[in-house]
Amino acid sequence: MVRSLLFDPELHTGSLLEKILLDIIIPLGDDINKLHTPRYAFFWLMSHTKFPYIGIHLTKLAPPCLQLISSSHDENKVLALKCFNLIIENIGRSEMKVNNFDHVICEEIMKLIKHPSLEVLELSIPCSLSLMNLMTDPPHKLQELWKPNSFDMYLLSYLEYAAYETKSNRKRLYVKYLERIIQTCRQAIIKHLKSIVTLLIEYMKVRDVKEVRLSCLKCLKLLLVHGWPRICTHSIDILMSCVNVIAESHSEGNTNIYNETRDFVLALRTLCNGSLDKHLECLKSFNNKGVTGMVAYVFEKNPSSSS
């Protein structure tokens, strides 16, 4: 019955939607942790209400989502994040600002990008990014590139949470979405270059989850594009981090990480116009075949600036 009602034109005047919500929504004051069926009925309703009707009825749909996300149960938080994703995908910026919902929702989601549950974290990070992209203009398109903006504040919090993280599986998520942040900021990422490089160098030490190192290398490659020429001021620290990864991955027989790191060092050396040659020359006598093989490969592929 509800399914057929969703396609009734009367639904989008608001009156029928209100009737459905009264039947399936979590009543204020009730224990939402005991109301299993209404929660999922509400999510089903959300998933079948698309653009532009989610925006039209946001004042009715957002409060139950906020109630779910403030629950102490992770299951409710996961459901709320899925609902917020549906809202963000089917709404415009001006509609999100109604009743100050943009700030309220952002505040609630931001609390979860350091949540201890891996499932919650895996949903909250991309949800927070999508919300920031909806609420703000891309940082690289701002007229005053160096002026602090809301995306800067978001990124500072994100980097702080990522820096204090100790579990490899959670680091995997932080660095995975850092790639998306760099792509969003483009040249505006230079403002945060030192903090990001420091974080990536630390994350490159993670050995038990190989995706962490691979994602770090993807981020570093993006920094070569969007962080030039300032990235070259960090080139020696980055090179030494890569040398450790090269040595470990060669000893462990991890060909994928070894090759990706070796190719990144080649790109770094090329971009920095030979400023790393002296350090690479010193590594020729390094007591690891993986490292000496990397150095030989780099000079062979680009001999123009070698001594």
Side-chain angles (χ1 to χ4, degrees), residues 5-204:
L5 289 174
L6 284 169
F7 298 98
D8 190 317
E10 188 186 348
L11 169 65
H12 307 303
T13 65
S15 59
L16 186 55
L17 179 65
E18 288 176 358
K19 293 176 184 176
I20 297 173
L21 286 174
L22 286 173
D23 289 334
I24 68 174
I25 202 55
I26 307 157
L28 291 176
D30 283 7
D31 185 356
I32 62 175
N33 300 315
K34 295 180 180 179
L35 300 175
H36 180 84
T37 301
R39 287 178 298 169
Y40 285 93
F42 174 69
F43 175 69
W44 188 92
L45 174 66
M46 285 285 296
S47 63
H48 287 79
T49 307
K50 301 296 182 181
F51 178 85
Y53 304 112
I54 280 187
I56 294 172
H57 302 303
L58 183 63
T59 54
K60 304 176 186 69
L61 296 171
C65 297
L66 291 169
Q67 189 179 16
L68 282 169
I69 205 169
S70 61
S71 165
S72 58
H73 289 244
D74 291 347
E75 182 183 6
N76 289 334
K77 293 183 185 297
V78 166
L79 201 61
L81 288 166
K82 291 179 179 178
C83 289
F84 280 130
N85 266 323
L86 290 168
I87 290 175
I88 294 166
E89 290 171 1
N90 293 279
I91 201 171
R93 185 183 299 181
S94 59
E95 295 166 315
M96 182 63 88
K97 291 183 179 294
V98 173
N99 293 338
N100 209 34
F101 276 134
D102 54 343
H103 294 292
V104 176
I105 293 172
C106 184
E107 183 179 351
E108 291 299 323
I109 295 176
M110 284 299 295
K111 293 176 183 176
L112 301 183
I113 64 172
K114 57 178 178 178
H115 195 274
S117 164
L118 191 64
E119 186 180 9
V120 172
L121 187 66
E122 195 154 11
L123 286 171
S124 62
I125 295 177
C127 187
S128 66
L129 272 171
S130 297
L131 181 60
M132 290 304 301
N133 288 333
L134 174 64
M135 290 170 51
T136 64
D137 293 324
H140 69 278
K141 290 187 177 181
L142 297 176
Q143 290 184 347
E144 298 179 353
L145 196 62
W146 297 101
K147 186 177 180 180
N149 54 71
S150 55
F151 204 98
D152 286 329
M153 300 306 296
Y154 168 81
L155 182 51
L156 287 171
S157 296
Y158 188 91
L159 293 173
E160 180 182 357
Y161 299 151
Y164 281 105
E165 186 53 62
T166 57
K167 296 180 180 178
S168 298
N169 270 333
R170 292 168 62 83
K171 287 184 176 183
R172 173 182 60 83
L173 292 176
Y174 281 120
V175 72
K176 173 184 175 181
Y177 290 105
L178 182 58
E179 179 185 353
R180 181 171 156 187
I181 291 174
I182 297 171
Q183 289 173 327
T184 299
C185 292
R186 299 188 189 180
Q187 65 268 30
I189 204 69
I190 288 179
K191 289 188 287 185
H192 307 282
L193 191 60
K194 182 177 180 180
S195 298
I196 293 176
V197 169
T198 301
L199 178 71
L200 291 174
I201 287 175
E202 185 62 29
Y203 273 35
M204 288 278 274

Side-chain angles (χ1 to χ4, degrees), residues 31 38 47 186 196 213 236 241 255 260:
D31 185 356
S47 63
R186 299 188 189 180
I196 293 176
R213 281 179 167 172
I236 297 175
S241 177
T255 306
E260 289 290 331

